Amino acid sequence: MRLLVTSGIFVSDSNAEVETYGLNPLSWLLVEGVESEDHTYQKYFVLGTVSRHYVEAGLSLADWFKKDLPAPVPSPFEELHGVPLVHETTKLLDEELDRIVNEGVAAHDNLAIGTIIRECSDLFRGLQSLTDCCGGDGTTVRAILKAYPDIKCTVLDLPKVIESAPAHDSVTYVAGDMFHTIPPAQAVMLKLVLHFWDDEDCVKILEQCKKAIPSREEGGKVIIIEIILGPSMGPIMYESQLLMDMLMMVNTRGRQRDENDWREIFTKAGYSDYKIVKKIGARGIIEVYP
Ligand SMILES: C[S@@+](CC[C@H](N)C(=O)[O-])C[C@H]1O[C@@H](n2cnc3c(N)ncnc32)[C@H](O)[C@@H]1O
């Protein structure tokens, strides 16, 4: 417990007659069953990152760097274990790991959506329609609809995800492939999607988004919620961003990007302009205009 207190996971009250330990905001995230909009239970994200498979992939990084692997270069995880992470074949490696990772990614991705809706009210205000591209089971659009019930929301994801998504009167679910076509809307949202893909695939995804939205004058935009690497939010947030960059490098073909990287991708995909709406914690919100 002393080590965990020193590492910033718990607090202790050493003035008490008997030393007592308490939760801080970090360990609070590991408490299950909290009824609060902004609370998502992060146990599975932690279990994934400390799993044998993640750790072994991290340890294989030095060998991976020295290999002359043909493009598309597999991640160290894929090279070592033979299957990619967060993929339909991951369960062939280990069913329990696959379950933990899927739960962990969902918990991580839904962390702080309430804060984004509250802090960036202009992002969704006045929107007539929105497609959440790779929107999973629709958790994000359901949160948006609570605040903006008039937006016509569509969720695009792979067929196996859409099959098990809970029905909702105001949400249209579309099973498909974002590299092929994206359901049209005034705005397309990509929340924590592009960090899974290399630059070339990001350009392809953004080209499809551009086909799905109207002109800038008609309110067309792509909303991107991702890390924008850089020290502007202070050393702790920057370290978190860099650790997430390492996590993506070891386990996926993607990475985290700084503003220059983002600008280059937007330009290659044919967009005319972008605006960083806000940075909240380690993540940022970007609007990209056709
Ligand atoms: C990390 S999750 C995205 C997170 C989600 N936007 C959120 O914030 O909760 C990645 C999602 O992309 C979906 N996906 C992967 N490849 C896809 C494709 N080619 N077309 C559509 N969806 C895809 C996966 O099924 C998964 O639900």
Side-chain angles (χ1 to χ4, degrees):
M1 285 306 291
R2 284 190 202 116
L3 175 64
L4 291 171
V5 168
T6 308
S7 313
I9 316 283
F10 289 98
V11 287
S12 80
D13 182 359
S14 49
N15 292 328
E17 212 167 289
V18 179
E19 192 165 10
T20 53
Y21 299 97
L23 298 167
N24 67 8
L26 189 58
S27 38
W28 182 238
L29 290 173
L30 300 174
V31 179
E32 193 173 7
V34 177
E35 294 281 334
S36 156
E37 250 180 30
D38 269 354
H39 188 274
T40 48
Y41 176 50
Q42 298 296 315
K43 172 177 139 183
Y44 290 105
F45 188 75
V46 176
L47 285 181
T49 54
V50 297
S51 68
R52 175 174 73 78
H53 297 94
Y54 272 54
V55 173
E56 285 172 357
L59 293 174
S60 75
L61 200 54
D63 288 338
W64 177 81
F65 270 124
K66 289 180 215 146
K67 286 182 186 162
D68 194 11
L69 296 162
V73 177
S75 67
F77 184 99
E78 187 178 351
E79 170 65 8
L80 182 73
H81 297 304
V83 293
L85 192 69
V86 202
H87 189 263
E88 58 200 11
T89 56
T90 312
K91 58 174 167 304
L92 300 176
L93 172 68
D94 189 312
E95 279 197 20
E96 179 65 0
L97 175 79
D98 185 55
R99 189 183 69 78
I100 287 174
V101 169
N102 285 332
E103 296 247 7
V105 168
H108 171 265
D109 290 350
N110 288 314
L111 186 65
I113 178 62
T115 314
I116 292 172
I117 294 168
R118 243 188 348 264
E119 295 278 320
C120 308
S121 48
D122 283 352
L123 203 58
F124 302 108
R125 186 173 297 136
L127 265 191
Q128 284 149 23
S129 56
L130 173 76
T131 292
D132 188 4
C133 179
C134 295
D137 69 358
T139 303
T140 301
V141 292
R142 285 196 298 279
I144 293 171
L145 276 168
K146 263 196 189 167
Y148 300 95
D150 295 332
I151 303 178
K152 196 172 154 288
C153 286
T154 303
V155 171
L156 171 76
D157 210 293
L158 296 173
K160 72 170 172 61
V161 177
I162 295 296
E163 269 166 26
S164 54
H168 188 290
D169 285 349
S170 311
V171 181
T172 306
Y173 287 97
V174 176
D177 179 355
M178 66 178 157
F179 288 98
H180 185 60
T181 179
I182 293 174
Q186 195 178 18
V188 171
M189 181 165 68
L190 293 164
K191 178 160 81 66
L192 301 165
V193 172
L194 297 176
H195 65 174
F196 270 97
W197 302 94
D198 64 25
D199 290 3
E200 218 173 281
D201 281 334
C202 286
V203 170
K204 287 183 196 156
I205 294 165
L206 285 167
E207 282 170 348
Q208 289 302 334
C209 291
K210 195 157 171 269
K211 289 184 199 162
I213 55 172
S215 67
R216 183 174 185 175
E217 294 67 36
E218 294 166 283
K221 62 182 177 182
V222 177
I223 298 167
I224 295 180
I225 300 174
E226 288 275 359
I227 284 173
I228 306 163
L229 275 178
S232 67
M233 300 298 277
I236 293 178
M237 284 303 157
Y238 192 35
E239 186 190 24
S240 309
Q241 294 180 335
L242 295 172
L243 288 171
M244 283 300 290
D245 194 23
M246 288 295 295
L247 191 71
M248 300 319 274
M249 177 168 70
V250 171
N251 295 305
T252 75
R253 292 185 189 175
R255 65 188 182 105
Q256 307 299 345
R257 298 177 167 91
D258 65 17
E259 188 174 345
N260 286 336
D261 298 325
W262 284 119
R263 188 185 306 110
E264 205 175 309
I265 289 173
F266 301 154
T267 307
K268 276 192 185 152
Y271 288 81
S272 63
D273 201 4
Y274 70 94
K275 179 173 88 178
I276 297 178
V277 176
K278 197 158 194 153
K279 292 180 183 171
I280 300 177
R283 294 173 184 165
I285 295 110
I286 315 174
E287 282 187 349
V288 195
Y289 309 111

